Amino acid sequence: MERPEELKALIAEIIAANISAEAWNWLNTYASTNSVSTLNIAFGIMPRKTGKAIIRISTGQQALLQIIRPGLLVDNWTADRLCRVWVLSQFNEPDKDKYFHTIENLFSVAEMNEEVALYSALPLLNHPEMWVNRCAQGIRSNIGVVLEAIMYGNPYPVENLAEAAWNQMVLKAFFTEKQVDKLYGLDDRANKELARILIDYASERHAAGREVNAMLWYLVEKFVNPEELSSMKQGKFHRIEFSK
């Protein structure tokens, strides 16, 4: 993250416009300390203090957010989710191991909405390399909103996941019928192995008489010639030759 302080300031501005003055004062008190116990308390009771209303964000704030942190979207987040993410971004324990174990402990005891906030916070956490396994674990979740927190408007996966984990996430998005176009970085991380995986998946869908998401062909087309792509769209999947 190249501009963390600007990002924190922008999120704070959005929060202040969406919660009461009393809740904002409380939030600032809890966010101004690196106490682990204070963080745990604030994280747990957040909804009772900030409410769960859907936040309002201006067009200008949306545009600035994409300048400061491309790929991060907070549209349709609830106030408690955004506030939890902001508090996590403020936590700045200098001891790397203690920092990791503090956040990891929140993951280990989190209920669903807390998980959503934690995965949403991945692109704002310190030491991004430490959360790769946690992100990969989240992709294996069967909870829709948790998957969406990782997949939608979240730049962490494209920036940090290895190819195999990235491919697993994209396939999971298709398999669970998510809005694949909301995955940030699809063009940047398109790869031949993913194309192979998606073609196999499309073949299985066709054999079962089910439709194939048009986004799948978009991710495959740069790795096969137009004739082969046309054949696959018609359900002919044998002898596919991949371009180099």
Side-chain angles (χ1 to χ4, degrees), residues 47-208:
R48 282 183 277 162
K49 294 293 186 177
T50 64
K52 299 180 180 181
I54 300 297
I55 64 164
R56 299 182 303 276
I57 178 171
S58 71
T59 301
Q61 288 170 329
Q62 289 175 327
L64 182 57
L65 182 60
Q66 292 311 296
I67 293 172
I68 297 173
R69 193 66 172 98
L72 179 63
L73 298 175
V74 301
D75 307 56
N76 297 315
W77 284 19
T78 57
D80 59 310
R81 178 179 176 183
L82 186 61
C83 290
R84 277 173 165 150
V85 168
W86 185 71
V87 166
L88 289 169
S89 75
Q90 297 289 101
F91 184 66
N92 195 30
E93 166 58 51
D95 185 295
K96 188 174 180 179
D97 288 338
K98 186 176 180 180
Y99 180 88
F100 172 79
H101 288 297
T102 298
I103 305 300
E104 187 62 24
N105 183 63
L106 288 173
F107 271 108
S108 68
V109 299
E111 50 81 38
M112 184 183 70
N113 291 321
E114 292 171 349
E115 274 197 273
V116 167
L118 284 160
Y119 283 111
S120 299
L122 288 180
L124 286 79
L125 296 180
N126 296 338
H127 316 296
E129 72 284 354
M130 295 196 303
W131 312 110
V132 171
N133 289 338
R134 172 54 68 178
C135 184
Q137 182 175 331
I139 293 166
R140 294 191 290 272
S141 174
N142 292 319
I143 303 174
V145 291
V146 171
L147 287 173
E148 290 167 7
I150 299 170
M151 295 175 177
Y152 294 173
N154 190 335
Y156 183 87
V158 70
E159 294 171 352
N160 296 280
L161 291 183
E163 183 175 286
W166 171 262
N167 291 352
Q168 180 188 17
M169 184 184 75
V170 176
L171 178 62
K172 185 74 172 279
F174 280 105
F175 186 78
T176 56
E177 299 184 340
K178 299 300 182 189
Q179 298 179 56
V180 180
D181 59 321
K182 287 189 174 184
L183 275 64
Y184 181 68
L186 284 173
D187 287 325
D188 295 336
R189 295 297 299 271
N191 61 84
K192 187 181 295 185
E193 181 58 26
L194 177 59
R196 292 183 190 275
I197 292 169
L198 293 179
I199 288 171
D200 288 343
Y201 171 71
S203 178
E204 293 173 1
R205 296 277 295 186
H206 177 76

